[in-house]
Amino acid sequence: MAWTELTREQHMRTATRYPSDLPDAEWAVIGPRLPGPNRLGRPRTVDLRRVWDAIRYLAAAGCAWSLLPQDFPPVSTVRYYFYSWRNDGLLTVINRELVAV
């Protein structure tokens, strides 16, 4: 069966890829809290929303770091941001704000 304009509309993905992906309303709360780009070093090339989605995926799935799907940023990048935000207390701040919403 070939794709037609009608079938493309019927089967177009409108939902997020994973159930753990962040809704836009929550991103509006979290996004401003995440650190901006550094003045020194290389410019950031990773999307922090995708990093946050990866952290949520790992938490929801309860899986090991090595089982993170390939369509997320690299495991080492996600792990770096997770530990950095945990050590800075940012995850605690974000959790409080999301609970308050």
Side-chain angles (χ1 to χ4, degrees), residues 22 26-35 48:
L22 189 67
E26 289 184 15
W27 179 248
V29 174
I30 293 171
R33 294 285 181 221
L34 298 180
L48 292 184

Side-chain angles (χ1 to χ4, degrees), residues 18 54 57-59 61-76 78-79:
Y18 296 102
Y57 177 86
L58 289 167
C63 64
W65 289 103
S66 60
L67 297 177
L68 187 67
Q70 295 295 317
D71 54 342
F72 286 115
V75 173
S76 58
V78 175
R79 188 182 301 128

Side-chain angles (χ1 to χ4, degrees), residues 16-65:
T16 57
R17 182 171 291 269
Y18 296 102
S20 61
D21 284 354
L22 189 67
D24 291 335
E26 289 184 15
W27 179 248
V29 174
I30 293 171
R33 294 285 181 221
L34 298 180
N38 289 334
R39 295 181 319 146
L40 303 173
R42 283 190 336 205
R44 180 183 297 143
T45 58
V46 68
D47 179 17
L48 292 184
R49 184 170 182 164
R50 294 298 297 151
V51 171
W52 187 260
D53 285 341
I55 292 170
R56 285 175 51 113
Y57 177 86
L58 289 167
C63 64
W65 289 103

